Amino acid sequence: MTFAARLRARERVLGYWSVLDAPVATERLARLGYDYVCLDMQHGLLGYAGLVASLTAIDAGGASAGVVRVEANDPAPIGRALDAGAAAVIVPLVDSAEDAALAVAATRYPPLGRRSYGPMRSGLRFGPEPARAHEATAVIAMIETTAGLAEVEAICATPGLDGVYVGPSDLRLAVGGAHVADSSVDEAFEEAVSRIRAAAEAAGIAAGIHTPDGATAARRLAQGYTFASIASDLVHLENVARDHLKEAGR
């Protein structure tokens, strides 16, 4: 079963988040058993060459699907990520059903959508036929703004959308947080997280969320989210290096 099929079946899947342009490290991550590794083209440190190399590394790892959080809700970056071999795209800053429909259209070839034909690596991964590409790739909308939260039920009902994904940092700011770790808005934040999950469940699509660690990912999956990402390689590298420094007495 493809990653897209598992996502649409609302299976529980677990992923890892990567922001570094380090294909050898990414390949090692892809061998650990995560269902997917997501490459962050919005806030990450990868250029397009790094994206292609990292997707190739993920495929070489063999255990994970390559997912890409694109930099914008635009046919060009979405199409390039899919052409490079992404099994799914996560599209940021989706504020309405109209935005979600545009994201879906960017992943579909005519006459169903606006994706330009040029399946460089995806033709090898998923086949060159448009119908097969539509079946084998997924599109996920991020819910992270005040507008997106207000319209989440309509967004989830968008035909062709496979899932929604909570961006917790921006969502916390959207519900009134002064910063991304502001605990004073915990109640409003959790209400928003619950609303997004419920909207996705009602629409029969996947519900995903970004988490800082495995324990949080397990908690969100237990709450009814169907997929979760653990973030990220750069943060974890820094945290482990800091811990070792402390253990060495510095």
Side-chain angles (χ1 to χ4, degrees), residues 9 11 24 29 35 39 44 60 68 94-95 110 114 141 145 153 175 187 191 201 204 215 228 232 237:
E11 287 189 17
V24 174
L29 292 169
D35 297 299
L39 305 170
V68 177
V94 173
D95 290 340
R114 302 179 62 204
T145 65
E153 289 81 11
V175 299
E187 183 175 352
E191 287 176 357
E201 183 176 6
S232 64
L237 176 64

Side-chain angles (χ1 to χ4, degrees), residues 4 6 17 33 112 114 155 168 179 217 223 237 239 249:
R6 295 183 64 193
W17 201 264
L112 301 178
R114 302 179 62 204
I155 291 169
H179 51 80
Q223 290 172 344
L237 176 64
N239 288 345

